[in-house]
Amino acid sequence: MKKFLDENFLLSNDTAVRLYNDYAKNMPIIDYHCHLSPQEIYENKTFKNLTEIWLYGDHYKWRVMRANGVEEKYVTGDGSDYDKFLAWARTVPMTIGNPLYHWSHLELQRFFGVYDLINEKNAPAIWEKVNAQLNGEGFGARDLIKKSNVRVVCTTDDPVDSLEYHLKLKEDKEFGVKVLPAFRPDKALEINRATFLPWIGRLKEAAGQEIENYDQLLSALDARARFFHSVGCSVSDHALDYVPYAETTREEAAAIFAKALKGEPVSLEEEKKYKTYTLVFLGKIYAELGWVMQFHINAARNQNSRMFKALGPDTGLDSINDSDTAYPLGRLLDALESENALPKTILYSLNPKDNYVLASLMGSFQGGGIPGKMQLGSAWWFNDTKDGMLEQMKALANLGLLSRFVGMLTDSRSFLSYTRHEYFRRLVCDLIGGWVEAGEAPDDPELLGTIVQGICYNNANEYFKF
């Protein structure tokens, strides 16, 4: 029987142990997609207690707390921080089989040297041990990033953002970690949401120009993309809860935008046409600027309307969508490829049924002399589990090149989430080590070490060219 979370955690064979310790363990991290606050990084935010750093904003934990019968008062409500921590400590033992059980223990071990099992009995001691460190030196946001051996952080930023703190971080020569914006123009595309017209007003102010027609909208988006580029941005991101595609013209898209500006209803088919033309327009800009385009597909958001009205978005009320992907995504990518304007692209789906769809589709658009130009994105959100990560990598290996994979990202709002890179790297080494042990791959340390270090860091470093 192996000891819980020992040095060979998730490493089931000798080759895996060797690959992890000799090649993966000490590689730096490029976190090319996350939701950290650039202001908190710039200000080196400190945390008054374990609840603030561990539970605030963490909808992964909130979901299982609710499932364990914890009242909302002790999840997102006005319960004290200590009582919320106790509620979490009571929940953790019930999460065995969920990656949160592993992640939570890894976070305490790696950042705070606390090896106690998380449960109600040990909770008071854990609270005291961690808070003593948080109230000392060396546990601010910047400190935690540097302790995790992070080289690059890409935040998620709206085109209307001023990038004030990115500009300040760009001038800061002491931190030593690149903190770069990522361009997330979702609100420009969601023409049927209540946020659309107010957001157009904000874009008008940010771009410093009128937006009274579609041409002016596209001009403003182009200007903001180029401003982001000047601050170091080289990554875009789109949350496509479904993939839109409909044949259209610029004139049609302009007429649809004009309807929306007047507050007139826009049909689903019109919405698809507007989104299609706008996405293709943006994709051409990304290709011109040399950016990487990311599509996060098939999330079903804010499912619980009563709770959504009370708590708002990003509070653990989302789930997996199952909209059609293969046909519209193929047409959308081809619309760009047909004009030789398809940028480097990473495709993620929240629905694991799409792994083979995406992996096969992206193979149709590889090329340009770029290794891994089209990427099957890391197992995301509900899939960043042991099984989800392994299934994503197996699909990629079966249909493409695992060796060119750009690897893990945190997609997190937590400064403690970098332990997920360790979790992922252990699984990479165990997967490849298993193939070696089974005689399905050669025991060639030079080849295998190159592949492992590529997946951990080197591929992303070459792909994004930060």
Side-chain angles (χ1 to χ4, degrees):
M1 180 187 298
K2 291 183 67 175
K3 184 180 177 182
F4 174 62
L5 271 177
D6 67 2
E7 66 274 10
N8 293 332
F9 172 59
L10 298 178
L11 306 174
S12 62
N13 57 73
D14 291 341
T15 304
V17 171
R18 185 170 70 250
L19 289 174
Y20 179 71
N21 287 300
D22 292 352
Y23 298 102
K25 184 176 181 179
N26 296 317
M27 292 298 287
I29 288 172
I30 291 177
D31 194 18
Y32 55 88
H33 173 66
C34 75
H35 298 276
L36 295 177
S37 161
Q39 179 176 353
E40 291 179 355
I41 297 173
Y42 177 73
E43 295 174 350
N44 196 23
K45 176 182 171 65
T46 56
F47 304 88
K48 62 180 181 289
N49 60 48
L50 180 53
T51 296
E52 183 180 6
I53 195 171
W54 220 19
L55 297 177
Y56 283 20
D58 194 332
H59 52 85
Y60 285 76
K61 294 186 176 78
W62 294 348
R63 285 172 68 93
V64 296
M65 290 172 77
R66 292 173 188 139
N68 199 43
V70 175
E71 296 177 46
E72 196 64 31
K73 175 179 180 178
Y74 304 110
V75 181
T76 63
D78 59 1
S80 71
D81 281 355
Y82 184 64
D83 285 341
K84 288 179 178 178
F85 167 71
L86 286 179
W88 173 238
R90 285 192 293 267
T91 298
V92 171
M94 299 296 102
T95 66
I96 286 179
N98 186 305
L100 283 168
Y101 193 75
H102 295 151
W103 294 347
S104 299
H105 284 92
L106 283 172
E107 287 163 359
L108 289 188
Q109 290 181 14
R110 299 298 183 261
F111 288 103
F112 305 106
V114 174
Y115 287 79
D116 300 350
L117 287 177
I118 305 166
N119 54 44
E120 188 173 11
K121 176 183 175 182
N122 291 335
I126 293 171
W127 179 259
E128 294 298 330
K129 290 175 185 177
V130 174
N131 287 350
Q133 295 179 64
L134 289 174
N135 292 325
E137 295 294 324
F139 286 88
R142 290 193 186 200
D143 306 310
L144 296 169
I145 290 172
K146 295 191 77 168
K147 285 179 180 179
S148 300
N149 198 19
V150 179
R151 299 286 175 81
V152 181
V153 172
C154 290
T155 60
T156 301
D157 307 275
D158 192 288
V160 303
D161 289 347
S162 69
L163 303 186
E164 172 189 357
Y165 290 97
H166 286 95
L167 288 164
K168 290 180 178 180
L169 284 160
K170 189 176 181 180
E171 297 302 315
D172 188 334
K173 306 304 180 185
E174 295 183 3
F175 185 29
V177 178
K178 289 185 178 181
V179 181
L180 305 175
F183 190 74
R184 180 86 171 240
D186 293 348
K187 289 177 180 162
L189 291 162
E190 295 300 342
I191 195 168
N192 269 320
R193 292 189 184 169
T195 54
F196 185 69
L197 290 179
W199 184 85
I200 293 295
R202 294 179 63 201
L203 178 63
K204 173 182 172 180
E205 294 178 8
Q209 64 180 70
E210 292 298 320
I211 304 179
E212 297 177 350
N213 57 54
Y214 190 55
D215 284 348
Q216 290 176 337
L217 170 68
L218 298 183
S219 173
L221 288 171
D222 179 77
R224 295 308 291 170
R226 294 178 192 281
F227 168 64
F228 271 57
H229 190 74
S230 73
V231 184
C233 177
S234 60
V235 180
S236 70
D237 185 35
H238 296 267
L240 303 179
D241 297 348
Y242 74 92
V243 180
Y245 185 79
E247 295 288 345
T248 192
T249 63
R250 190 181 184 106
E251 290 72 25
E252 269 194 302
I256 295 163
F257 179 72
K259 286 179 67 175
L261 279 186
K262 290 186 286 186
E264 297 177 6
V266 171
S267 71
L268 178 59
E269 185 63 19
E270 289 174 325
E271 175 182 306
K272 289 179 179 179
K273 289 181 177 183
Y274 168 79
K275 286 183 173 181
T276 298
Y277 196 94
T278 308
L279 276 170
V280 171
F281 173 83
L282 289 168
K284 292 176 184 177
I285 295 174
Y286 305 153
E288 178 192 340
L289 295 176
W291 286 12
V292 174
M293 178 171 70
Q294 298 178 95
F295 286 167
H296 283 85
I297 301 164
N298 256 336
R301 301 178 191 275
N302 308 316
Q303 297 282 60
N304 185 327
S305 59
R306 182 182 66 83
M307 291 288 284
F308 173 66
K309 288 175 183 177
L311 302 177
D314 303 319
T315 52
L317 308 176
D318 307 326
S319 65
I320 295 170
N321 200 359
D322 61 354
S323 65
D324 291 337
T325 299
Y327 177 79
L329 182 57
R331 295 307 87 221
L332 190 60
L333 296 176
D334 191 59
L336 287 162
E337 176 65 20
S338 64
E339 298 189 44
N340 197 28
L342 180 62
K344 290 185 284 188
T345 302
I346 307 178
L347 304 173
Y348 311 78
S349 178
L350 199 54
N351 196 322
K353 74 175 179 60
D354 294 335
N355 280 343
Y356 273 72
V357 171
L358 299 186
S360 63
L361 179 58
M362 72 188 204
S364 302
F365 293 95
Q366 300 284 16
I370 303 170
K373 175 182 177 179
M374 305 296 293
Q375 289 279 329
L376 180 62
S378 177
W380 165 49
W381 196 349
F382 294 114
N383 298 314
D384 57 4
T385 63
K386 177 183 175 182
D387 292 341
M389 291 180 192
L390 289 172
E391 290 306 311
Q392 182 269 347
M393 287 189 281
K394 288 176 184 178
L396 176 55
N398 280 328
L399 297 182
L401 296 177
L402 177 63
S403 58
R404 293 297 187 180
F405 181 29
V406 294
M408 185 59 172
L409 49 90
T410 62
D411 189 28
S412 174
R413 294 168 175 79
S414 169
F415 290 97
L416 301 183
S417 63
Y418 290 109
T419 52
R420 296 181 195 178
H421 281 261
E422 176 185 339
Y423 196 84
F424 167 80
R425 290 173 178 186
R426 288 176 178 272
L427 291 174
V428 170
C429 294
D430 195 63
L431 179 64
I432 295 174
W435 291 336
V436 173
E437 298 280 339
E440 298 176 23
D443 186 12
D444 182 339
E446 183 177 357
L447 170 63
L448 299 176
T450 298
I451 290 173
V452 166
Q453 291 189 331
I455 296 169
C456 291
Y457 174 81
N458 290 335
N459 291 346
N461 192 44
E462 174 61 25
Y463 186 75
F464 292 100
K465 299 187 183 300
F466 291 125

